[in-house]
Amino acid sequence: MDQPHTTPSPFTKLAAGAIQIHELYVSLVHAGFTEAQALDLIKHILVNAKK
């Protein structure tokens, strides 16, 4: 069976991660968190991600 042709992402893994973090930030602010609260939540998520 042939595998479907996939187009490689134009973004590096680092750029893709930054985009996802930005989307999370925008979503948190849209949900009602202040900008500072959103950044603090993201900081805690990233610091504790691999523990």
Side-chain angles (χ1 to χ4, degrees), residues 14-34:
L14 181 61
I19 291 167
Q20 290 175 342
I21 292 169
H22 180 259
E23 289 176 351
L24 174 59
Y25 170 79
V26 170
S27 295
L28 289 169
V29 172
H30 183 72
F33 290 95
T34 66

Side-chain angles (χ1 to χ4, degrees), residues 37-49:
Q37 290 171 327
L39 287 174
D40 196 45
L41 284 169
I42 292 170
K43 176 186 74 175
H44 286 286
I45 290 168
L46 293 174
V47 166
N48 296 305

